[in-house]
């Protein structure tokens, strides 16, 4: 088993890297990637601080030595794309001695250009939808996918994280959101662009235990098969007891639809 998306106390998780790695090893993982939320250009309680970068890299190196011969530890980072000026393509992120990079969108700029976190609890998203976006859900969704397309054009990363996560919070505002033809077109555009740019698409299993869904949602897996997308399974673990959450279920469902062969290793 391989996982490339996990967090620790360096960002918004609730355990040390050592505790997360220990739980991953006990769960049977052979490759474990650690990917803190990157430093960011706007206020955020979820992202690591730039001044902690050296400590993160040092702890990654220590864990690599500790688990040598037992489990491969990789140093990664989940890097926020905010704009043409800030994302995985930045010289700063490219200069870091990382094994891989995940490109993700968590913040969607409102019509005034202010980055707003759309990734948190649904209650907060619904509040921000009214206070920051004037209730314009379609704007938020279209902007989210447009930012992913921009991020893919700029490149500088290996894996696109939780490609359709906006569909989850967005569905609390409009239950039929993901059934809309225009929404499906946006998802397909991002999948097609990711394949064109030779990016790996993450099947993120974090929400399965609590929300019975993956990112991308299973309704979009036929598109992943159609475009022959390269995939990785990731649990996006923030807690030691969640290191394998949804992983085996996703793997089995991919096998059933003939997509296991699309899973790749870094």
């Amino acid at each position: 088993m391989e996982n490339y998306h996990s967090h620790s106390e360096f960002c918004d998780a609730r355990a040390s890297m050592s505790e997360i790695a220990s739980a991953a090893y006990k769960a049977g993982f052979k490759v474990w990637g650690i990917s803190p939320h990157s430093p960011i250009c706007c206020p955020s309680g979820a992202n690591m601080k730039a001044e902690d970068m050296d400590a993160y890299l040092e702890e990654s190196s220590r864990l690599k030595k500790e688990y040598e011969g037992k489990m491969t530890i990789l140093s990664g980072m989940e890097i926020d794309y905010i704009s043409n000026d800030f994302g995985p393509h930045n010289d700063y992120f490219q200069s870091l001695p990382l094994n891989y990079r995940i490109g993700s969108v968590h913040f969607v700029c409102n019509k005034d250009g202010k980055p707003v976190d759309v990734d948190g609890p649904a209650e907060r998203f619904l509040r921000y939808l009214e206070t920051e976006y004037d209730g314009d859900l379609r704007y938020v969704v279209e902007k989210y996918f447009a930012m992913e397309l921009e991020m893919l054009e700029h490149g500088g990363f290996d894996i696109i994280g939780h490609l359709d996560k906006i569909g989850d919070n967005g569905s609390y505002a409009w239950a039929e959101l993901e059934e809309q033809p225009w929404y499906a077109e946006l998802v397909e555009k991002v999948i097609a662009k990711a394949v064109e740019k030779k990016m790996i698409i993450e099947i993120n299993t974090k929400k399965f235990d609590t929300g019975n869904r993956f990112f991308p949602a299973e309704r979009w897996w036929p598109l992943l098969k159609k475009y022959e997308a390269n995939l990785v399974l990731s649990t996006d673990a923030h807690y030691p007891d969640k290191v394998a959450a949804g992983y085996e279920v996703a793997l089995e469902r991919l096998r059933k639809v003939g997509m296991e062969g699309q899973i790749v290793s870094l």
Side-chain angles (χ1 to χ4, degrees), residues 138 141 144-145 163-168 171 176-188 213 219-220:
R138 183 155 179 171
V141 173
Y144 176 92
F145 287 114
L163 179 150
D164 65 336
K165 200 170 184 186
I166 192 64
D168 185 33
S171 293
E176 293 80 26
L177 170 65
E178 294 172 284
E179 299 170 12
Q180 305 309 306
W182 61 267
Y183 183 94
E185 290 175 7
L186 292 172
V187 172
E188 183 164 8
R213 70 172 294 162
R219 69 171 72 202
W220 311 124

Side-chain angles (χ1 to χ4, degrees), residues 132-146:
E132 301 289 346
Y133 302 105
D134 298 321
D136 193 344
L137 178 63
R138 183 155 179 171
Y139 167 84
V140 178
V141 173
E142 290 182 337
K143 184 67 173 176
Y144 176 92
F145 287 114

Side-chain angles (χ1 to χ4, degrees), residues 15 19 26 37 46 55 134-135 173 214 258:
E19 290 170 319
K26 291 174 183 176
H37 292 289
D134 298 321
F214 304 112

Side-chain angles (χ1 to χ4, degrees), residues 158-212:
D158 307 282
I159 301 168
I160 181 168
H162 44 66
L163 179 150
D164 65 336
K165 200 170 184 186
I166 192 64
D168 185 33
N169 272 346
S171 293
Y172 286 95
W174 184 14
E176 293 80 26
L177 170 65
E178 294 172 284
E179 299 170 12
Q180 305 309 306
W182 61 267
Y183 183 94
E185 290 175 7
L186 292 172
V187 172
E188 183 164 8
K189 282 183 179 179
V190 174
I191 290 173
K193 179 62 70 173
V195 173
E196 175 191 328
K197 295 295 183 179
K198 296 180 169 47
M199 295 292 179
I200 299 168
I201 295 176
E202 170 189 77
I203 301 289
N204 187 303
T205 69
K206 176 184 177 182
K207 193 70 185 284
F208 182 77
D209 283 0
T210 58
N212 194 35

Side-chain angles (χ1 to χ4, degrees), residues 197-250:
K197 295 295 183 179
K198 296 180 169 47
M199 295 292 179
I200 299 168
I201 295 176
E202 170 189 77
I203 301 289
N204 187 303
T205 69
K206 176 184 177 182
K207 193 70 185 284
F208 182 77
D209 283 0
T210 58
N212 194 35
R213 70 172 294 162
F214 304 112
F215 304 109
E218 285 180 84
R219 69 171 72 202
W220 311 124
W221 288 11
L223 291 174
L224 299 176
K225 189 172 185 178
K226 170 186 171 182
Y227 285 97
E228 300 180 343
N230 287 329
L231 310 173
V232 292
L233 288 179
S234 293
T235 59
D236 196 354
H238 287 63
Y239 301 87
D241 62 344
K242 297 294 185 180
V243 294
Y247 191 98
E248 291 288 355
V249 176

